Amino acid sequence: MPLTRDQFPPQFRWGSATSSYQIEGAAHEDGKGLSIWDTFTRQPGTVKNADHGDVACDHYHRWESDLDLMQDLGLDSYRFSVSWPRVLPWGTGKVNAKGLAFYDRLVDGLLARDMTPFVTLYHWDLPQALQDRGGWVNRDTAFRFAEYAEVLARQLGDRVGHWITHNEPFCTAIMGHQEGVHAPGIRDTHAALQTLHHVYLSHGLAVPVLREQSRTDTQVGITLSLHPVYPASDAPEDLQAAHRHDGFRNRWYLDPLFGQGYPQDTWESYGPLVPHVQPEDLGIIAAPLDFLGVNYYFRETVKHAPGQGHFDLEEVHVQGVKRTHFDWEVYPEGLTDLLTRVYEDYQPARLLITENGSTFDDSALDEKLMDHDRQQFFEAHLRECLKVLERGIPLEGYFAWSLLDNFEWAEGYDKRFGMVHVDFETQERRLKYSGRWFRDFLRVPVP
Ligand code: IFM
């Protein structure tokens, strides 16, 4: 059966998602301060081809035509992030009026085009000035984040009704502070767990601030990257390994937000590396959410492996399956499994898919940019969204990652996720087949 828009509820949101460092460029313009990514990308060997986000998609200058592109695609919502050091160059204190004005224009531009802004406060570009004071390992950063939230809400809160405090705290903590593959490039598990705790504290402190300073119907949420975890076999030790891995990947992030504290089994596995938690913290972190944003890309399959890491397991590279340019398994069914489980276990008031998308090697595409693999990826995942809705789960929207090819962190410009192809020499934008398919899909008149 063909997939059509009218199979979805009329109020279902259709958006695309981006983030500041990945698209804005203008790294040193109009008073912007340095972020940890400005610093990290200058360290040899951190990013493929020594790429950086100084120009990226030049969205800071091309935002109007980029909004026109979204409007032409028929999208009704746009999820973008604010660069903290563009607004507060030192992370705290004096506001950079020119930086804030950029987001003012962006929000007004969206509203003028009948698109709803979803504003993420933190998508990994911490002000370097705060990193110099210890970054997220320093508890004080959580309080600086709440100040930053207040600055944004006071300026934009009359027009912004959807706030996302953090994008993918797993990546901030684990990729940035345990694996060291993202800024600030630290390799220390305790620092990673302390980081996550402070990120969560900052979230809990910001939620009431955003609500108080914004319009009365404001909704506040957070976005997590979650992965359904499957055992490599039915053997009891693999089932237990899957449960442990789920603690590391999912429950460590979900449980505290939903008032359950850190999961006991995972806490014990970390042993002496666990974060320092002050008595009031867990209550602050569990501030009620209006929605949970879920970023879904792939599943993980694990088997028991004594002595491997903190959790005695290893990931299994499933054979004979389709994979993206990142080598991530294409597994659309995982989306339904994941959202069903999250809803059953945590009952979030609303769910949004705040990112879903794929990178495939576009280098061989001809003039018509026929990226069939990416289109099939979107379509297969949208079909799963229908299954989720049939189960009565309050899924309210889908944001495709991403509008534009952009700076893919440690991979630089090598991995392309866009529905729109970007020529990084000329900044020319061209709709790929996946974008044209999305546009045609969205054009079906809503009843
Ligand atoms: O590009 C990233 C994004 O910044 C966060 N979520 C995953 C995407 C693809 O890797």
Side-chain angles (χ1 to χ4, degrees):
M1 190 163 111
L3 180 76
T4 59
R5 180 187 181 154
D6 55 11
Q7 292 159 347
F8 289 79
Q11 68 282 7
F12 196 81
R13 289 186 183 281
W14 297 101
S16 64
T18 65
S19 89
S20 45
Y21 190 76
Q22 292 181 273
I23 66 163
E24 282 180 5
H28 309 289
E29 269 179 64
D30 287 345
K32 176 184 164 291
L34 287 181
S35 84
I36 54 175
W37 274 93
D38 293 312
T39 310
F40 186 70
T41 50
R42 290 311 194 275
Q43 291 162 11
T46 53
V47 176
K48 208 176 255 182
N49 305 319
D51 287 341
H52 52 71
D54 279 12
V55 177
C57 304
D58 196 29
H59 174 74
Y60 189 75
H61 300 113
R62 296 168 193 261
W63 63 273
E64 282 185 280
S65 48
D66 287 341
L67 297 197
D68 289 342
L69 256 176
M70 283 182 245
Q71 193 179 30
D72 291 345
L73 281 167
L75 301 171
D76 57 51
S77 302
Y78 176 45
R79 173 178 175 238
F80 64 92
S81 79
V82 173
S83 159
W84 186 347
R86 197 180 289 290
V87 171
L88 289 155
W90 301 102
T92 181
K94 194 166 167 6
V95 171
N96 175 32
K98 283 189 176 169
L100 198 49
F102 170 68
Y103 298 105
D104 243 337
R105 293 195 293 277
L106 196 58
V107 166
D108 287 343
L110 284 165
L111 297 177
R113 290 168 180 78
D114 269 337
M115 283 188 275
T116 304
F118 280 68
V119 181
T120 305
L121 275 68
Y122 188 75
H123 198 125
W124 310 348
D125 40 359
L126 185 75
Q128 180 62 40
L130 293 184
Q131 187 62 43
D132 294 342
R133 290 156 58 168
W136 286 111
V137 182
N138 180 354
R139 186 175 170 91
D140 183 64
T141 299
F143 296 89
R144 304 289 75 82
F145 182 81
E147 273 173 25
Y148 160 57
E150 182 160 359
V151 169
L152 291 188
R154 276 180 187 270
Q155 183 69 25
L156 306 174
D158 57 334
R159 286 154 291 151
V160 171
H162 298 85
W163 298 101
I164 295 172
T165 54
H166 282 270
N167 179 71
E168 301 182 349
F170 174 93
C171 298
T172 305
I174 302 296
M175 298 180 80
H177 296 78
Q178 177 177 308
E179 298 172 355
V181 293
H182 278 187
I186 292 169
R187 291 169 201 262
D188 173 340
T189 301
H190 172 68
L193 298 177
Q194 196 63 61
T195 287
L196 189 269
H197 185 67
H198 291 153
V199 163
Y200 267 19
L201 181 62
S202 78
H203 158 82
L205 292 168
V207 168
V209 172
L210 292 166
R211 279 217 186 90
E212 279 155 25
Q213 303 291 338
S214 305
R215 35 188 259 204
T216 48
D217 60 349
T218 284
Q219 295 182 11
V220 185
I222 187 169
T223 279
L224 304 183
S225 47
L226 299 175
H227 300 260
V229 177
Y230 301 84
S233 79
D234 290 338
E237 58 269 29
D238 286 345
L239 292 172
Q240 285 156 15
H243 183 70
R244 292 196 298 279
H245 191 63
D246 182 61
F248 162 71
R249 260 302 197 184
N250 301 316
R251 288 181 286 121
W252 191 262
Y253 300 86
L254 287 158
D255 285 12
L257 293 174
F258 289 92
Q260 301 174 22
Y262 292 105
Q264 193 60 34
D265 61 319
T266 317
W267 184 273
E268 282 163 15
S269 297
Y270 277 127
L273 302 174
V274 293
H276 180 64
V277 176
Q278 295 197 11
E280 67 277 20
D281 293 356
L282 292 173
I284 297 172
I285 290 169
L289 295 172
D290 299 303
F291 63 87
L292 177 69
V294 174
N295 293 354
Y296 175 64
Y297 287 93
F298 57 95
R299 71 164 172 176
E300 287 183 350
T301 304
V302 298
K303 68 174 188 195
H304 181 58
Q308 289 292 315
H310 299 294
F311 301 100
D312 294 326
L313 57 85
E314 64 188 27
E315 283 187 43
V316 173
H317 198 257
V318 179
Q319 301 297 315
V321 294
K322 187 165 179 178
R323 292 183 176 277
T324 69
H325 198 195
F326 243 133
D327 207 23
W328 295 347
E329 181 180 350
V330 177
Y331 192 69
E333 303 89 316
L335 180 62
T336 304
D337 290 351
L338 175 66
L339 295 190
T340 304
R341 176 275 173 103
V342 167
Y343 188 61
E344 281 174 358
D345 288 358
Y346 301 96
Q347 280 93 47
R350 298 174 186 84
L351 280 161
L352 288 166
I353 296 167
T354 39
E355 285 180 29
N356 175 240
S358 55
T359 172
F360 288 98
D361 186 1
D362 289 348
S363 57
L365 297 182
D366 66 9
E367 274 300 287
K368 291 192 174 147
L369 300 171
M370 299 301 285
D371 59 337
H372 290 285
D373 289 326
R374 196 175 282 102
Q375 181 277 328
Q376 284 162 9
F377 186 98
F378 281 135
E379 181 168 348
H381 286 79
L382 291 179
R383 286 185 187 279
E384 294 299 318
C385 290
L386 284 178
K387 289 191 202 158
V388 171
L389 289 163
E390 276 161 21
R391 293 183 182 186
I393 295 168
L395 176 63
E396 296 202 348
Y398 177 95
F399 290 75
W401 186 270
S402 181
L403 177 70
L404 306 169
D405 292 333
N406 59 46
F407 175 79
E408 178 55 32
W409 309 112
E411 297 293 316
Y413 296 98
D414 185 54
K415 300 280 186 292
R416 292 174 177 265
F417 277 88
M419 294 191 279
V420 176
H421 182 274
V422 177
D423 178 329
F424 291 106
E425 297 292 315
T426 63
Q427 291 295 342
E428 187 194 2
R429 274 88 158 130
R430 281 190 308 143
L431 267 189
K432 299 178 194 174
Y433 169 65
S434 58
R436 301 194 293 272
W437 175 84
F438 225 109
R439 179 193 60 195
D440 294 347
F441 165 77
L442 291 176
R443 267 195 191 147
V444 175
V446 184

